[in-house]
Amino acid sequence: MEPSRGRAAAALLSESLPGRRRRDGEGARWAPEPTQQSSSWAKRLLGFEWADVSSWHRFVCLLNRPTDPASLGVFRFLFGLLMALDIPQERGLSYLDHKYLDGLEVCRFPLINFLEPLPLDWMYLLYAVMLLGALGIMLGCCYRLSCLLFMLPYWYVFLLDKTTWNNHSYLYGLLGFQLTFMDANRYWSIDGLRHPRKRNAHVPLWNYTVLRMQIFIVYFIAGIKKLDADWVEGYSMGSLSRHWLFDPFKLVLSEEMTSLLVVHGGGLVLDLTAGYLLFFDATRPAALVFVSYFHCMNSQLFSIGMFSYTMLATSPLFCSPDWPRRLGARFPACLRRLLPSVEPPQPSEACVYGGSKRKGRGRGERGPGLRQKLGALFTVLYVLEQLFLPYSHFITQGYNNWTKGLYGYSWDMMVHSRSHQHVKITYRDGVTGELGYLNPGVFTQSRRWKDHADMLKQYATCLSRLLHNYNVSQPEIYFDIWVSINDRFQQRLFDPQVDIVRAEWSPFRHTPWLKPLLVNLSPWRAKLQEIESSLDNQTEVVFIADFPGLHLENFVSEDLGNTSLQLLKGEVVVEIVKEQRNYTLQEGDRMQLPPGEYHKVHTVSPEPSCYMYVYVNTTDVALERNLTQLQELRDKVQNGSETEPLPPELQPILDGALGDAMQTDPVVQAFVQRQQRLEELQRRRNATLGERLQRFAARKYFLFRRSFLMTWISLRNLALGRPSLEHLAREVAYANMQQEAGAAGTEGVQKEPERAEL
């Protein structure tokens, strides 16, 4: 950054222009010829004159100005490195065999129905190609080919499974696509060592413009999406303020105000302003501090893989493009040989050197050619497309549910939180009329199908095909899914009376069997929170809203000894199935529900009904009371106040040895297991920094170890054929050595969450 020259880091920042050569304390570089307009406010604020955008020709020349490649080269290196680390983790290379095992009966959710995964060994080959592409991008080796090797498999894997979509995975694909068209191998690359004309050569300004605009859009559109009333009022991430990272704020604010002002208010302001603040010299230092703190916090708050570090890597793109040279020039001369070049860049045929007196390998005074015009056209079209796509949901109406579009390309990050109270799948044999029920999520490896009509349609179609293998003919499938979004009432998302197998769905038409979100009940949330806060720790409550003409069938477990239903709004009829008796409830009425029996709650009012279940889990209460008594007994024995010897069946509460689990009292077994969990948690909290780093390194080591071993096994299978099943089983067992080695070396290395779910 050079405030003395008034150079702003706007989207169209220019760093190096040909002209007179000068030296400063940081090395030689090209400086622009002074002009009469160089001190205008537009030049000082934006880095270019208004005349530069007065015509298409001038605009093309502006976007193809020669710019220092140093910052772009460093970003290329960091992006390739982060993607190489991401592929075994969030992309799933470490558990690929769990997801794409040959012959696995599972329902999948591709964007386009004809997309199918390759056989398992070929999927490993595909991931290996993607990994090689990421490494090639990092090193700048065979750069264009490496970009294609990374980008094409990445988008195939991305489109293959909508249930894994999120905003940052989409962003990785966009950045890989952009880099394919850029000259990011002009600095700190193997290609530069092999080709002198590419080594340390200028890049067109649009290379930076596209990347900066992309990151600006990520921040700004995310801020626009956070202007949603739920976010502004603090309902989107209501529990996040309980995290220890917010403890410093809670020294001066209550937890509720921390959530409202810091989590929601701070997130809104940062997203809306970060892109602007990063553009300008005067505000960039403060912006870099705040966005860095923000992304470091996110890396601890959420399981978002490399996203936080990728965003950190994009921040220097807004600085002066020659910052790596100026940083390298500060190192001693003996270390500069190990660092990227600090020499000024050489001219490049990819740039337009308007007004230059210098000719040779540069373009001299020649105007922009086809390559330069295509680069400018790509910049304009790409930025317009990225601005339009987050608001294109009026076209793809079939993907609209309570939220607009598929989650993952609209930058609506963390705006909506959901909880599911009740999910029921009913099938009917189309020939015999026989009814049956399926476990929610059967034949799937994901839970996201519950929230999206397009995935529900795919799931129902897949289930109807699989049920033929279980002697169910022409199956009809009905879903009853209850969801609460941002602390609202639990309500139905889809019509439970519609057979989804035969229901109409189109990506371009509204889904007719989608039930509307009852936004008119949103003001009830304050009242619901007040009711929840008035209950004791042993009492639970569930808030329900239902549509006229529908009913909720529910079963009260015998563990729930004191369950009542209270009507908050509307009118319902409660049917006790076993007794065959009906009870009419109006607003304010309350009734006890018999445990161990089914009941149905029919909404008979013309408007939606609202009611709540209040219950106490008597089994949990009794268990907690027994565990407390055992804890008191253990404390008395340990402090010597209990002199009577413990009976043999209670001895495990002292030594923690369960012995024969079949003969151990269940309460004693639960007590010992809880104590072991508490001790392990306490040990982890008290671990030194070295122990935590060792545990982290061991976990990552086993993850990458399994990724590479399983890839090697699959590549060997493709090249030489598969060995016997016994031999293959031994190889896979060796790759899965994590449990034994982890227990010995790291006090029990845990599996990755994704693998644990699968």
Side-chain angles (χ1 to χ4, degrees), residues 18 33 57 61 348 351-369:
E33 294 284 359
H57 175 80
C61 293
S348 168
C351 304
V352 175
Y353 295 84
S356 175
K357 303 299 183 182
R358 176 182 175 87
K359 298 184 180 181
R361 285 187 296 178
R363 293 189 56 87
E365 294 183 346
R366 290 176 293 172

Side-chain angles (χ1 to χ4, degrees), residues 649-665:
E649 61 270 17
L650 295 182
Q651 193 63 34
I653 70 173
L654 292 179
D655 54 29
L658 289 175
D660 188 353
M662 298 296 295
Q663 297 181 1
T664 305
D665 183 275

Side-chain angles (χ1 to χ4, degrees), residues 315-336:
S315 295
L317 287 171
F318 293 88
C319 299
S320 175
D322 69 342
W323 70 264
R325 300 182 195 276
R326 292 188 283 126
L327 179 63
R330 295 178 180 272
F331 284 86
C334 59
L335 295 179
R336 291 182 194 173

Side-chain angles (χ1 to χ4, degrees), residues 518-586:
L518 298 173
V519 292
N520 59 313
L521 299 178
S522 298
W524 275 84
R525 286 182 290 190
K527 178 66 175 177
L528 303 187
Q529 291 180 344
E530 180 183 340
I531 294 174
E532 266 192 298
S533 61
S534 66
L535 302 176
D536 57 50
N537 293 333
Q538 298 176 345
T539 305
E540 302 289 342
V541 63
V542 178
F543 301 102
I544 304 291
D546 203 4
F547 294 92
L550 298 179
H551 72 272
L552 169 64
E553 183 179 15
N554 213 343
F555 177 80
V556 179
S557 171
E558 294 182 354
D559 293 333
L560 309 181
N562 185 23
T563 302
S564 64
L565 186 148
Q566 181 174 346
L567 189 65
L568 301 174
K569 183 177 181 293
E571 183 177 353
V572 300
V573 172
V574 181
E575 175 188 355
I576 307 300
V577 177
K578 185 176 180 180
E579 299 178 3
Q580 296 185 346
R581 296 186 61 181
N582 295 339
Y583 301 87
T584 300
L585 299 183
Q586 296 183 345

Side-chain angles (χ1 to χ4, degrees), residues 10-12 56 59 63 170 174 177-178 181-182 205-218 220-221 279 374-391 409 411:
L12 302 176
W56 173 248
F59 185 65
L63 288 182
Y170 172 59
L174 293 180
F177 173 74
Q178 295 169 29
F181 298 94
M182 295 179 182
L205 178 60
W206 68 262
N207 285 200
Y208 285 94
T209 302
V210 172
L211 287 170
R212 289 168 178 163
M213 286 303 301
Q214 180 67 76
I215 302 307
F216 173 84
I217 288 171
V218 171
F220 186 68
I221 299 297
F279 273 143
L374 289 177
L377 184 63
F378 169 77
T379 302
V380 173
L381 293 180
Y382 182 84
V383 171
L384 290 177
E385 177 267 342
Q386 282 296 300
L387 290 171
F388 170 75
L389 197 59
Y391 300 97
Y409 67 93
W411 314 121

Side-chain angles (χ1 to χ4, degrees), residues 484-503:
S484 169
I485 186 168
N486 292 346
D487 293 340
R488 289 180 173 85
F489 284 96
Q490 292 279 340
Q491 66 157 95
R492 284 185 166 96
L493 180 54
F494 306 107
D495 191 335
Q497 300 173 332
V498 174
D499 173 19
I500 305 300
V501 177
R502 293 164 181 81

